[in-house]
Amino acid sequence: MNAIPSIQKVGGMAAFANAGVALATLAVAVFLIGPSAIADPNKLIDLATRNPTPLLIQDGLKVSSAVISALLVVAFTSYLRRENLAVIAVAAGFGFLAIFCLLGNAVLSFYGIFQMAVNGEAIAAVPQLNRMIGILAMTAIFLDGVWLLLVNGIALKSQQLPRSLCYLGLAMGVLSLVPPLGIIVLLMGLIWSVWVGRVLLATAPDS
C-alpha cells in the first residue's frame, strides 16, 4: 500500500483503541452519568457538585479520544496521500479542528468541575460555561463529520478501503452533521473503527 508502514500500523492500532474508548464513553454515559442527567443541564450541574467522578472519567476519555483521533488523522493522511493531496490536506485540517474543539470541551469541563469543588460562588457562572462546553462538543462532532465524509469519499473513489466500509463511514459523516445524533454515530463508530483497524493492520507492509 502507499502508506509508511509504521504509520499505517499505528493507525490500525489506534482504530482498535478508538473502538475501546467509544465503548467506555458509552458505558460511562449510560451507567454512571445517566441519560436524564445528559438531557438536563441542571441535573448535570447537580451531579458535578455532588459526585463529579463520572464526569471526570468522561473528560479523561475525551482527552484519550483526542490523542487517538490525532493518530487516525495522521494515519489516514499518509494512507491516502497519493490521491487528491489538496482534499486530503483539507480533510486533515477539519480533523485537527475537531480534535482541538474536543480538547477545549474537556479542558473547560475539568475547569468547571474544579471551580465548583473549591468555590461555590463559581456556580453562578456555570450556565455560561456549560453553554460553551456544549457548543464545543457540537462543533467537534460536526467537524469530525466533515472529516469522515472527506476521507471515506477519497477512499471510496480510490478503492483503498472496502466499499461497504466507506459507505458506513459516509453515513456516519452525514449523521455527524446533525450533532444531536452523535450517540448514533458513536454506536456506528464501534463497527467502523474495528473494521478500519483490521484493514489497516492486514494491509500494512512488513517492512
Side-chain angles (χ1 to χ4, degrees):
M1 302 301 291
N2 57 353
I4 299 172
S6 59
I7 295 178
Q8 185 171 332
K9 289 180 179 178
V10 169
M13 292 184 287
F16 279 110
N18 189 58
V21 170
L23 187 61
T25 299
L26 184 63
V28 169
V30 173
F31 299 111
L32 297 183
I33 298 176
S36 61
I38 293 175
D40 188 341
N42 291 324
K43 289 184 178 180
L44 202 61
I45 292 172
D46 183 58
L47 179 64
T49 304
R50 294 184 297 101
N51 179 27
T53 300
L55 296 177
L56 292 173
I57 294 174
Q58 185 187 56
D59 291 333
L61 288 171
K62 291 176 186 175
V63 174
S64 298
S65 179
V67 174
I68 292 169
S69 295
L71 293 175
L72 281 173
V73 170
V74 171
F76 267 102
T77 301
S78 176
Y79 189 74
L80 302 170
R81 74 185 188 280
R82 290 186 183 174
E83 300 305 319
N84 191 325
L85 189 59
V87 177
I88 293 171
V90 171
F94 277 107
F96 283 115
L97 281 174
I99 292 167
F100 178 78
C101 289
L102 181 60
L103 284 174
N105 170 277
V107 169
L108 287 182
S109 181
F110 275 128
Y111 172 76
I113 292 171
F114 176 77
Q115 286 293 94
M116 283 188 285
V118 301
N119 182 7
E121 294 179 359
I123 294 179
V126 164
Q128 292 77 12
L129 184 62
N130 197 50
R131 190 176 302 113
M132 181 58 68
I133 291 171
I135 290 173
L136 286 172
M138 295 296 103
T139 303
I141 294 172
F142 180 87
L143 293 173
D144 188 58
V146 177
W147 178 79
L148 284 166
L149 286 172
L150 290 173
V151 296
N152 283 282
I154 295 170
L156 178 63
K157 182 178 180 180
S158 61
Q159 300 182 345
Q160 289 184 273
L161 290 175
R163 293 177 67 86
S164 297
L165 175 57
C166 293
Y167 288 137
L168 175 61
L170 289 170
M172 290 170 57
V174 171
L175 291 176
S176 295
L177 299 182
V178 186
L181 299 178
I183 187 65
I184 299 176
V185 177
L186 185 64
L187 291 171
M188 296 170 66
L190 293 173
I191 301 172
W192 184 82
S193 294
V194 171
W195 199 344
V196 165
R198 291 183 62 183
V199 171
L200 291 180
L201 290 178
T203 58
D206 294 328
S207 58

